[in-house]
Structures are given as structure tokens and as C-alpha cells.
């Protein structure tokens, strides 16, 4: 596999670091100009305070918008740490932590796509991606999407046979249920690999065990809240917000707006089931297809999870960062105008904030009366996710399902312990690849599951 275009030296790295610092500073100034309120982190803080004071977690309402707790009780245990600093300090710390997580996400994304992360590429990617709408909204709301994505990618960029591979995915699922589909993907990949699927099944087992441990810990610490969540709150998708809300960029949101109803009913369940099966199949198939198969498989699973989740707020789509880097990498290697055009269209979509130009209101719910043009503008992210899956399927078909270098590397490296830090040593001849308004309104649902 060829490297990223050019070989960044020390001077390039210094220039990229300076550019990233300037971009981050301008970003923070822009957020201040938009009067950022960090609504979701205040909800998390209220959850932590409810746990500390022995209140009813899923009866709690926080902020002036009356937002409820929607994550598993394990997350609320972690959120108790947010009650220690004052509100102003908490907002600043959350912003800085999310910027650090964006750097980590860019680093892991480059590792996933290319196998050999370069500081200049990571810094440049972070400097540009901080301005895309999902990242903007994540920092605006003080959300945990970047943390979830980093935990999952931390797992997926380690060798499949690493003894702790799967731990990050399990912890991420314990915090927010959406990453559970990655566990299904890992298990399906292992079952599909009859000869060398053991490490993938082991990774799925570790992830399942880690998630089970988070649930068990929550049961011991918060028995009433755990019972309430797993028997009631987890099934109440409407707790999060209106299905038709502009910010809901999932299949359910698209169908709610298309059918002009707040409850798309069985239509969404049928569509979600079909997309789940097809999406996991594509992820497994493309996992073994040609160079960067691991990246295509992982991001196909991410796109599927975002599409089939009952609510995928626009800020959940931070997976556009690794997906965008993957498209850039493919376009640079193929040197095909069609690939560059598709990559540019993806960048424009996620940086245009076009969904916020559609009339939206929590009280009046104009999304239930959208025109055809407004529906199209409001379905950009799901359309991009579906297009990504179609492209991954086409790519897998074109390569004939040939075993990728990453798969061969996993097979050769199975049974060897990875160096401390979790980064495998690349083979000399085949590097490891496994590895609206400028100030849009915050989503109506706040911290959705």
C-alpha cells in the first residue's frame, strides 16, 4: 500500500500544528459568538448529581428544556465526576477534552485507513474536521460522541488477537447502546472466517463481557435505576425527542418526515431490520476485500448503526471524520475524478449545515409539514450513509472478496502479543491496515441514546 501523498517532515508537522492551533482557537471564538450553552453536559451533570443524592434517575429532568436521562445507568455512574467542578469550569474542561478527543479520533482514523499515522496528517485532519457540523454540534452541546468513537476505533486499530481487543467497544456500549452493533459485526466477521475467525470471535466475546461488567456494576450500585432502564426506558424512543425532528438523521427520522407523522410505526421497524442485515453483511464482506478492507468494514458498520438507531442526532455522525479520510485516501490512490467528486460532495454535505436551513421548532413541529425539497435537504446524512454502504458493497464485489493485506497480517500475527501500548509492528512489505444559520439550534432531543 502506498503512503499518503507526500511524506510530511518536521517542518510540515510544525506548520500543521500551528494551523491546527489557529483553527481550534478560531473555532472556540466562533462558539463563544454563538453563545454556546453546553446543554447536554449539564444534563450529564444532573444525572451524576441524581446518582450522588439517591434520586430517581429516569424521572429526572434537567435544564430549562426538561431533558431526561437516556443513557444506561453505568453512564450516570461515570457522570458523578462531572459534579465536582463548577458549571463554568465544567464547560471549559468539556470543550478542551472534546478537542483532545478530536485529535485522538483523527489519529486513530489515519491509523485505521493507512496503518501508519503521521502527525502532520492527523493535525491537518483535525484542523479541518473541527468545522464540520457533527463535530460543531458535539462541542456545542458538550456531547460524548467523540469519546464513544475513540473507544471503538481504539479497539478496531489493534490486532484482532490482542488479549484486550474488544474492551473499548464493550465500554462504549455500556455508556451508549449504539456501538452494540460493532459487537455483532465482530462476531459475524469471526463466523465468516472459518479458517482464522478465532481472534474476531474472541474480540466479540471480550466486548460482550466488558459490556456485561458495566451492566452488572450498575445493577449493584443502582438496582432500581437499572431495572427501570432495562424494562422501560430503553424501549421508549420518544423520551429522547420527536422522531421527525430535523436533527434526527436516522431512517426513523426520514420516514417520520416523509409520512408526516411523529410515529412511523412498523414501517421503520421493517426498514431498520432490513438495513441492519444488509449493512452487517456488507461490513463483513468488505472486511476482507482488498487494501483498507478493515476500514471499509468498520465504517460500514458505523453507517449501519447510525441509520437503524431510533434517533441519530446530527452530532452522532462524527463518524464522518474517519469516513472522509478513507474517501480522501481512496481518491488519492485511484486518481479518478469520480472519487474526488464524491469525496468533495461528502465534505460539502457535512460542512454546509444545510439541515438547519429547513424550518424547525420543538413546539410547532413544522417538520410534519415539509415539502419534497425540504425533505431532501433534511435527509442528507442518511443518504450519505446509504451511499457509503452501496459504495462499500460495490468495492467488495469488484475485488471479488480477495483477502486484504490486513487480514493476512492478522493471520501471521495471531498468537503474538502486541507491544505495550496496543500498536502492532507493521510488516516491512505490507504495513498493517487493520487497523441554516452559522449558529444552528441545538437538537431538540438533547442527549439521545
Amino acid at each position: 500500500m502506498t503512503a499518503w501523498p507526500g511524506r510530511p517532515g518536521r517542518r510540515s508537522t510544525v506548520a500543521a500544528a500551528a494551523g491546527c492551533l489557529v483553527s481550534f482557537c478560531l473555532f472556540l471564538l466562533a462558539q463563544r459568538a454563538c453563545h454556546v450553552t453546553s446543554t447536554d453536559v449539564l444534563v450529564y451533570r444532573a444525572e451524576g448529581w441524581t446518582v450522588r443524592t439517591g434520586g430517581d434517575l429516569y424521572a429526572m429532568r434537567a435544564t430549562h428544556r426538561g431533558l431526561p436521562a437516556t443513557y444506561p445507568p453505568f453512564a450516570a455512574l461515570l457522570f458523578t465526576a462531572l459534579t465536582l467542578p463548577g458549571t463554568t469550569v465544567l464547560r471549559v474542561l468539556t470543550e478542551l477534552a472534546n478537542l483532545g478527543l478530536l485529535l485522538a479520533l483523527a489519529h486513530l482514523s489515519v491509523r485505521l485507513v493507512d496503518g501508519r499515522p503521521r502527525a502532520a496528517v492527523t493535525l491537518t485532519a483535525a484542523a479541518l474536521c473541527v468545522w464540520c457540523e457533527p463535530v460543531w454540534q458535539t462541542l456545542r452541546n458538550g456531547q460524548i460522541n467523540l469519546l464513544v468513537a475513540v473507544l471503538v476505533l481504539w479497539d478496531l486499530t489493534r490486532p484482532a488477537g490482542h488479549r484486550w481487543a474488544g474492551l473499548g467497544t464493550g465500554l462504549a456500549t455500556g455508556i451508549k447502546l449504539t456501538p452494540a452493533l460493532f459487537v455483532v459485526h465482530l462476531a459475524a466477521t469471526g463466523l465468516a472466517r472459518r479458517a482464522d475467525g478465532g481472534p474476531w470471535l474472541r474480540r466479540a466475546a471480550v466486548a460482550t463481557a466488558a459490556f456485561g461488567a458495566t451492566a452488572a456494576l450498575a445493577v449493584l450500585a443502582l438496582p432500581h435505576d437499572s431495572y427501570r432502564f432495562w424494562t422501560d426506558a430503553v424501549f421508549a424512543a420518544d423520551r429522547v425527542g420527536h422522531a421527525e425532528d430535523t436533527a434526527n438523521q436516522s431512517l426513523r427520522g426520514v420516514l417520520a418526515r416523509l409520512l408526516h407523522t411523529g410515529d412511523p410505526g412498523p414501517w421503520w421497524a421493517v426498514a431498520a431490520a432490513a438495513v441492519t442485515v444488509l449493512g452487517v453483511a456488507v461490513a463483513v464482506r468488505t472486511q476482507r476485500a482488498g487494501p483498507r478492507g478493515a476500514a471499509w468494514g468498520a465504517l460500514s458498520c458505523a453507517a449501519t448503526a447510525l441509520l437503524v438507531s431510533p434517533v441519530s442526532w446530527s452530532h452522532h455522525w462524527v463518524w464522518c471524520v474517519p469516513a472522509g479520510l478513507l474517501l480522501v485516501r481512496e481518491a488519492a490512490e485511484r486518481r479518478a475524478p469520480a472519487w474526488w467528486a464524491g469525496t468533495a460532495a461528502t465534505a460539502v454535505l457535512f460542512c454546509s449545515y444545510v439541515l438547519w436551513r429547513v424550518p424547525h421548532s420543538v413546539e410547532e413541529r413544522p417538520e410534519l409539514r415539509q415539502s419534497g425539497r425540504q425533505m431532501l435537504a433534511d435527509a442528507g446524512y442518511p443518504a450519505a450513509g446509504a451511499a457509503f454502504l452501496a459504495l462499500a458493497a460495490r468495492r467488495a464485489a469488484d475485488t471479488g472478496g480477495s483477502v486484504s493485506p490486513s487480514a493476512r497480517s492478522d493471520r501471521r500475527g495471531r498468537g503474538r502479543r502486541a507491544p505495550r501500548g496496543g500498536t502492532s509492528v507493521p510488516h516491512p512489505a505490507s504495513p498493517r491496515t487493520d487497523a441554516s444559520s452559522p449558529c444552528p439550534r441545538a437538537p431538540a432531543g438533547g442527549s439521545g441514546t
Side-chain angles (χ1 to χ4, degrees):
M1 180 178 59
T2 59
W4 290 87
R7 293 183 175 274
R10 183 176 180 181
R11 185 174 299 178
S12 299
T13 301
V14 172
C20 185
L21 179 61
V22 170
S23 180
F24 280 11
C25 289
L26 291 175
F27 177 87
L28 292 175
L29 290 174
Q31 293 252 313
R32 290 293 179 275
C34 290
H35 307 291
V36 170
T37 58
S38 302
T39 301
D40 285 341
V41 77
L42 299 182
V43 177
Y44 304 155
R45 189 175 191 269
E47 292 182 39
W49 186 255
T50 302
V51 169
R52 284 186 57 184
T53 57
D56 189 336
L57 181 61
Y58 296 103
M60 177 216 75
R61 293 294 185 271
T63 76
H64 66 282
R65 292 162 55 190
L67 299 177
T70 58
Y71 297 158
F74 174 72
L77 290 176
L78 300 182
F79 293 155
T80 56
L82 303 180
T83 64
L84 300 179
T87 301
T88 302
V89 174
L90 176 61
R91 286 171 171 166
V92 173
L93 291 177
T94 302
E95 286 181 333
L96 295 177
N98 267 326
L99 288 175
L101 287 168
L102 176 59
L103 285 169
L105 179 63
H107 170 80
L108 293 171
S109 298
V110 175
R111 179 188 290 180
L112 178 72
V113 171
D114 202 53
R116 295 182 298 176
R118 299 181 183 278
V121 177
T122 295
L123 291 166
T124 301
L128 296 174
C129 291
V130 73
W131 295 99
C132 71
E133 192 272 345
V135 175
W136 172 280
Q137 290 287 11
T138 291
L139 273 88
R140 175 188 175 90
N141 297 321
Q143 260 281 347
I144 59 172
N145 306 301
L146 292 170
L147 173 61
V148 171
V150 164
L151 284 172
V152 174
L153 284 185
W154 176 61
D155 261 350
L156 297 180
T157 52
R158 290 192 285 178
H162 191 281
R163 67 169 61 184
W164 296 114
L167 178 63
T169 304
L171 290 175
T173 306
I175 297 172
K176 196 169 188 175
L177 295 180
T178 309
L181 192 65
F182 282 96
V183 183
V184 177
H185 167 53
L186 295 173
T189 300
L191 293 174
R193 294 185 175 192
R194 297 181 181 179
D196 63 342
W200 293 90
L201 292 175
R202 177 180 175 181
R203 180 182 285 187
V206 171
T208 303
F211 169 67
T214 66
L217 178 61
V219 168
L220 292 175
L222 304 170
H224 171 75
D225 293 325
S226 295
Y227 177 82
R228 176 84 180 274
F229 179 79
W230 294 111
T231 60
D232 180 28
V234 70
F235 303 109
D238 291 339
R239 281 174 56 88
V240 185
H242 300 311
E244 79 281 358
D245 193 288
T246 291
N248 186 11
Q249 295 290 298
S250 69
L251 283 176
R252 183 168 174 261
V254 171
L255 285 174
R257 293 187 289 269
L258 179 63
L259 300 175
H260 302 295
T261 177
D263 182 13
W267 295 106
W268 166 73
V270 171
V275 172
T276 298
V277 173
L278 291 174
V280 171
V282 168
V284 172
R285 171 74 171 173
T286 196
Q287 183 82 30
R288 293 170 58 85
R292 292 175 293 281
W296 281 98
L299 296 177
S300 294
C301 180
T304 303
L306 290 166
L307 287 171
V308 303
S309 176
V311 174
S312 289
W313 300 128
S314 66
H315 52 71
H316 292 174
W317 287 79
V318 292
W319 288 94
C320 69
V321 173
L325 288 172
L326 176 59
L327 292 177
V328 169
R329 185 66 184 82
E330 290 279 357
E333 182 177 273
R334 295 169 183 266
R335 299 180 180 179
W339 277 85
W340 280 117
T343 302
T346 302
V348 169
L349 171 65
F350 284 100
C351 294
S352 65
Y353 299 72
V354 66
L355 74 162
W356 297 111
R357 301 184 185 277
V358 175
H360 51 276
S361 170
V362 178
E363 296 80 14
E364 299 177 5
R365 303 176 69 176
E367 294 93 335
L368 294 176
R369 303 179 297 276
Q370 285 186 344
S371 65
R373 181 179 299 180
Q374 290 171 336
M375 290 181 193
L376 287 176
D378 230 358
Y381 294 4
F388 187 90
L389 289 176
L391 184 61
R394 174 64 182 272
R395 182 181 178 279
D398 288 346
T399 56
S402 58
V403 178
S404 67
S406 62
R408 292 194 295 269
S409 177
D410 279 348
R411 190 178 301 158
R412 289 194 300 267
R414 186 173 52 181
R416 291 190 310 208
R417 183 175 179 179
R420 186 176 299 276
T423 304
S424 64
V425 180
H427 190 276
S430 179
R432 181 176 62 83
T433 58
D434 191 19
S436 113
S437 165
C439 307
R441 173 181 65 83
S447 52
T449 301

